[in-house]
Amino acid sequence: MTSSKQALAHPATSADAAPGSQPGAARGAQGRGTPPQDPGSWRSRMYRWDMKASPYAFIAPFFIVFGAFGLVPLLYTAWYSLHNVQLSGLDHQTWAGLDNYKNLLSSEFFWNALGNTFTIGVISTVPQLLMAIGIAHLLNYRLRGSTVWRVVMLTPYATSVAAATLVFTLLYSWDGGMINWLLHFVGVDPINWRESDWGGQFAVSSIVIWRWTGYNALIYLAAMQAIPTDLYESAALDGAGRWQQFRHVTIPMLRPTILFTVVVSTIGATQLFGEPLLFGGVSGSKGGSAHQYQTLGLYMYDQGWNIGNLGKASAIAWTMFLILLIIAAINLLITRRLRKSQ
Amino acid sequence: MTTTELTAPQAETKTTTDGRPGRRRVLGAGKQLHAGPVTYVVLTVFALVSLAPLVWTAMAASRNNERLAQSPPPLWFGGNLFKNLEAAWEQAGLGTAMVNSTIVAGTITVGTVVFSTLAGFAFAKLRFKFSGLLLLLTIGTMMIPPQLAVVPLYLWMSDLGWSNQLQTVILPTLVSAFGTFFMRQYLLQALPSELIEAARVDGANSLRVVWHVVFPAARPAMAVLGLLTFVMAWNDFLWPIIALNQQEPTVQVALNALGTGYIPDQAVIMAGALLGTLPLLIAFLLFGKQIVGGIMQGAIKG
């Protein structure tokens, strides 16, 4: 503490003297904010302690709550995944080794769920992000009522999974549903969305697409607005038209944002749960009558809280985590490659 | 170059319609071409797709079950809206659910905003050992999916006798890594270090600094984070469905029960979906601009 000189100049500073009475000039002379007490006094010791401890106190709530409800459970889930834990007899937990995992890998429903998660993930993420880039590009023009457009595009984000899925389930219903009714105008026979294999996956994906396209569009729009103007000006000087500017300036400059949204959407797709649960109605946790759209998230819920095998549910959770880590690693590799090639 | 620098701020005030303070970035002023009619047509199509399911929900909720099963589907409002809303309210227990969701989302919002501001302030403006590492850890936690915690949390909450109680849903979501990072990025720019120093010179301790300097400076970002958190907490699905049952549901849990079949009346189900979404839709009408701004701000800086 450099305050000793100043404190000596003001020996009257005591516990009850208002600290605010210090001359304002002290600030300019001192540079860093140090209060004017005698370094040995109770007050300045409190002050130093406060300076040292308060940063940790401020970040403590996050780490305590996250530790207790995120990190410790994460490790316990690994522990439970090596045990036989049944919902019906929580007190009888017996060591099972890798049985839950072996059981998982030999279960056709696990592979089915993995495949469904992958296909639904692809057919929901790819069109969603492509459309989002397109919409962002349009929103990036100087528009009348630009805020209104943005808010309207984001409205589906305010709709919960539960509400949106209930509505889409009715829209997709076999008889009298809006979608089949619209399809008959273009000569397509009614499709049994709920029962058919790809129909259900398509329907579930469309709910995801509807809810998240506008959100991603805004993220792209933000990134587009941060692209320096000169890039477009020089591209225009080189004779690039609007489409070429979009391809050769906008898309390359968006690359980090695109990667970011791909990662976020992939994480979201891996955890897909609410949409297939509600779309399936009574057979929801099975992901439809023949498990057509049972995702990994749903499979975990079904095994844990429907069948009651919490040990296996834990194993599924950890398998999902490992898959996410692999995806993250692949992403990292791709990013590096892209950087090198640039 | 001087001319663009001179004109840029003007263009910025014109294009920044979401009213974010403290943005120094030039918003690509020169390239912002006026939208042609095709742009408006395409955007209108997307806007209709965004809004149509919600408007149609209201139409379906105003009909009756028999009408909904017939083709063509209703394309206008019927006269049963209030009857169905009442039925959904009673049969799905939406009254309790609304109260519960308000308590849950409200508490989570207040907790997340306050804790994120405190931690964000520490990471942005205070010097302490391991701050860089701890920040990295905070960001890293965003990668961990919520499914990984669900089984132990369920077991512990049962042990504590907390199953079906609201604190079970509130506690694990009370802090947010995203919120912490969001506030840090905001405070880095929006809170001049001189202000903190001045308060220090005046003898303010850390709590006074937080109360009189940090919170006022952070207010715009706190509002945006609060809105984003409320939307997220209101719509949360996985953990509430596992932790709560039908006696103490949140709105999402109640809607799930409506959907999984014990009420066969589609019009009532649509009325329930409408009611469950209504609070957020109203929030969107009032604060849509801020929510949009918050997502775009979080995106640039995140």
Side-chain angles (χ1 to χ4, degrees):
Chain A
M1 292 280 125
T2 51
S3 62
S4 53
K5 235 192 239 169
Q6 204 194 8
L8 285 174
H10 300 275
T13 311
S14 66
D16 52 3
S21 62
Q22 285 303 317
R27 227 177 101 196
Q30 201 110 359
R32 292 208 58 78
T34 33
Q37 281 96 23
D38 171 12
S41 78
W42 177 81
R43 209 163 217 272
S44 79
R45 257 183 293 147
M46 275 298 288
Y47 175 83
R48 265 177 293 166
W49 187 82
D50 174 39
M51 286 293 271
K52 256 193 192 161
S54 58
Y56 297 104
F58 292 156
I59 62 169
F62 174 79
F63 283 98
I64 291 172
V65 176
F66 177 76
F69 298 105
L71 197 64
V72 177
L74 173 108
L75 300 172
Y76 265 90
T77 304
W79 178 250
Y80 288 132
S81 76
L82 302 172
H83 284 75
N84 181 13
V85 190
Q86 298 294 328
L87 197 60
S88 49
L90 293 177
D91 299 332
H92 303 285
Q93 298 169 5
T94 51
W95 177 257
L98 291 174
D99 281 3
N100 284 323
Y101 290 94
K102 279 183 203 155
N103 189 309
L104 206 61
L105 295 180
S106 61
S107 155
E108 58 164 313
F109 293 124
F110 168 73
W111 294 106
N112 170 59
L114 185 64
N116 287 346
T117 308
F118 180 76
T119 38
I120 296 176
V122 170
I123 59 177
S124 63
T125 306
V126 175
Q128 181 194 141
L129 296 182
L130 286 178
M131 282 196 294
I133 288 189
I135 293 173
H137 181 66
L138 297 181
L139 288 175
N140 201 22
Y141 284 124
R142 194 167 289 175
L143 286 166
R144 276 170 194 281
S146 60
T147 310
V148 178
W149 290 109
R150 293 175 195 178
V151 173
V152 167
M153 298 293 173
L154 194 62
T155 344
Y157 163 82
T159 319
S160 67
V161 184
T165 310
L166 290 177
V167 174
F168 273 79
T169 306
L170 190 54
L171 287 173
Y172 276 112
S173 68
W174 190 78
D175 48 351
M178 179 75 79
I179 312 263
N180 277 345
W181 179 69
L182 288 174
L183 280 179
H184 102 265
F185 287 112
V186 287
V188 177
D189 286 334
I191 294 163
N192 195 342
W193 298 98
R194 221 185 211 173
E195 300 304 323
S196 75
D197 205 354
W198 64 269
Q201 299 197 357
F202 179 87
V204 166
S205 305
S206 70
I207 306 168
V208 180
I209 295 172
W210 181 72
R211 280 188 70 218
W212 292 104
T213 301
Y215 179 89
N216 284 306
L218 288 184
I219 290 178
Y220 289 138
L221 177 62
M224 282 179 189
Q225 296 196 331
I227 300 175
T229 321
D230 344 0
L231 288 180
Y232 289 97
E233 279 165 7
S234 56
L237 282 178
D238 289 345
R242 279 191 186 190
W243 171 244
Q244 280 174 316
Q245 287 184 22
F246 179 70
R247 258 194 65 192
H248 297 294
V249 180
T250 309
I251 296 292
M253 290 300 285
L254 281 187
R255 206 172 272 164
T257 315
I258 294 174
L259 264 163
F260 168 75
T261 53
V262 168
V263 172
V264 171
S265 310
T266 310
I267 293 175
T270 317
Q271 297 167 24
L272 192 69
F273 166 73
E275 289 88 347
L277 176 73
L278 270 130
F279 189 73
V282 190
S283 53
S285 69
K286 297 249 173 297
S289 49
H291 302 253
Q292 314 95 300
Y293 35 86
Q294 186 172 45
T295 57
L296 281 175
L298 207 46
Y299 184 53
M300 182 196 121
Y301 177 74
D302 187 47
Q303 292 297 316
W305 284 272
N306 207 22
I307 290 171
N309 190 345
L310 290 173
K312 193 170 168 189
S314 304
I316 300 168
W318 258 88
T319 311
M320 286 170 70
F321 189 41
L322 292 180
I323 294 170
L324 269 179
L325 289 181
I326 293 170
I327 293 173
I330 294 173
N331 246 306
L332 205 70
L333 272 177
I334 295 176
T335 321
R336 284 223 179 120
R337 277 274 162 79
L338 282 176
R339 243 179 235 152
K340 264 184 199 163
S341 69
Q342 262 182 341
Chain B
M1 275 322 286
T2 17
T3 46
T4 48
E5 269 160 24
L6 280 174
T7 52
Q10 256 186 329
E12 188 188 357
T13 47
K14 268 183 197 164
T15 48
T16 319
T17 40
D18 38 24
R20 265 163 294 138
R23 266 200 64 177
R24 276 158 214 163
R25 221 184 288 256
V26 179
L27 289 179
K31 73 159 191 267
Q32 280 222 329
L33 301 162
H34 284 279
V38 181
T39 303
Y40 282 104
V41 170
V42 178
L43 281 179
T44 307
V45 170
F46 275 110
L48 285 177
V49 173
S50 291
L51 294 179
L54 295 170
V55 177
W56 188 80
T57 310
M59 291 178 190
S62 69
R63 298 289 178 150
N64 61 41
N65 206 26
E66 291 71 40
R67 179 64 192 85
L68 285 184
Q70 284 163 15
S71 199
L75 293 171
W76 195 245
F77 299 91
N80 283 339
L81 181 63
F82 292 101
K83 202 187 110 211
N84 289 333
L85 289 177
E86 215 179 299
W89 186 267
E90 276 164 20
Q91 292 174 44
L94 274 175
T96 333
M98 289 274 186
V99 174
N100 286 345
S101 274
T102 309
I103 294 171
V104 167
T107 316
I108 289 175
T109 303
V110 172
T112 300
V113 168
V114 171
F115 293 144
S116 299
T117 309
L118 287 177
F121 164 58
F123 281 130
K125 294 286 169 183
L126 302 180
R127 280 189 206 149
F128 53 101
K129 257 187 200 168
F130 308 119
S131 60
L133 182 72
L134 289 171
L135 181 65
L136 209 68
L137 262 176
T138 309
I139 298 168
T141 61
M142 282 193 253
M143 278 291 290
I144 299 173
Q147 273 92 343
L148 271 174
V150 159
V151 171
L153 283 183
Y154 178 81
L155 293 174
W156 299 343
M157 297 298 180
S158 310
D159 274 352
L160 286 168
W162 281 4
S163 356
N164 310 325
Q165 292 185 27
L166 296 184
Q167 71 262 34
T168 314
V169 178
I170 293 171
L171 277 172
T173 336
L174 209 48
V175 296
S176 149
F178 165 77
T180 301
F181 188 62
F182 182 85
M183 291 310 304
R184 173 191 180 261
Q185 298 304 87
Y186 182 82
L187 287 173
L188 269 181
Q189 284 196 348
L191 176 60
S193 299
E194 296 82 41
L195 261 184
I196 306 169
E197 276 168 29
R200 289 280 185 205
V201 169
D202 286 348
N205 62 27
S206 297
L207 280 180
R208 287 179 71 95
V209 169
V210 163
W211 189 254
H212 292 291
V213 181
V214 178
F215 279 175
R219 201 175 292 153
M222 287 167 96
V224 165
L225 178 63
L227 286 167
L228 294 178
T229 308
F230 194 87
V231 172
M232 211 197 60
W234 184 277
N235 286 341
D236 197 14
F237 196 61
L238 173 75
W239 178 230
I241 270 196
I242 289 172
L244 301 174
N245 69 0
Q246 281 314 299
Q247 266 76 57
E248 286 300 324
T250 58
V251 168
Q252 308 313 323
V253 178
L255 288 182
N256 177 54
L258 261 185
T260 41
Y262 81 93
I263 296 172
D265 194 325
Q266 292 291 339
V268 173
I269 293 178
M270 288 303 106
L274 189 64
L275 276 174
T277 309
L278 217 52
L280 286 190
L281 283 184
I282 293 169
F284 238 69
L285 278 179
L286 297 175
F287 305 111
K289 205 169 142 180
Q290 281 80 359
I291 297 177
V292 164
I295 286 174
M296 287 179 60
Q297 194 180 29
I300 282 192
K301 295 175 172 172

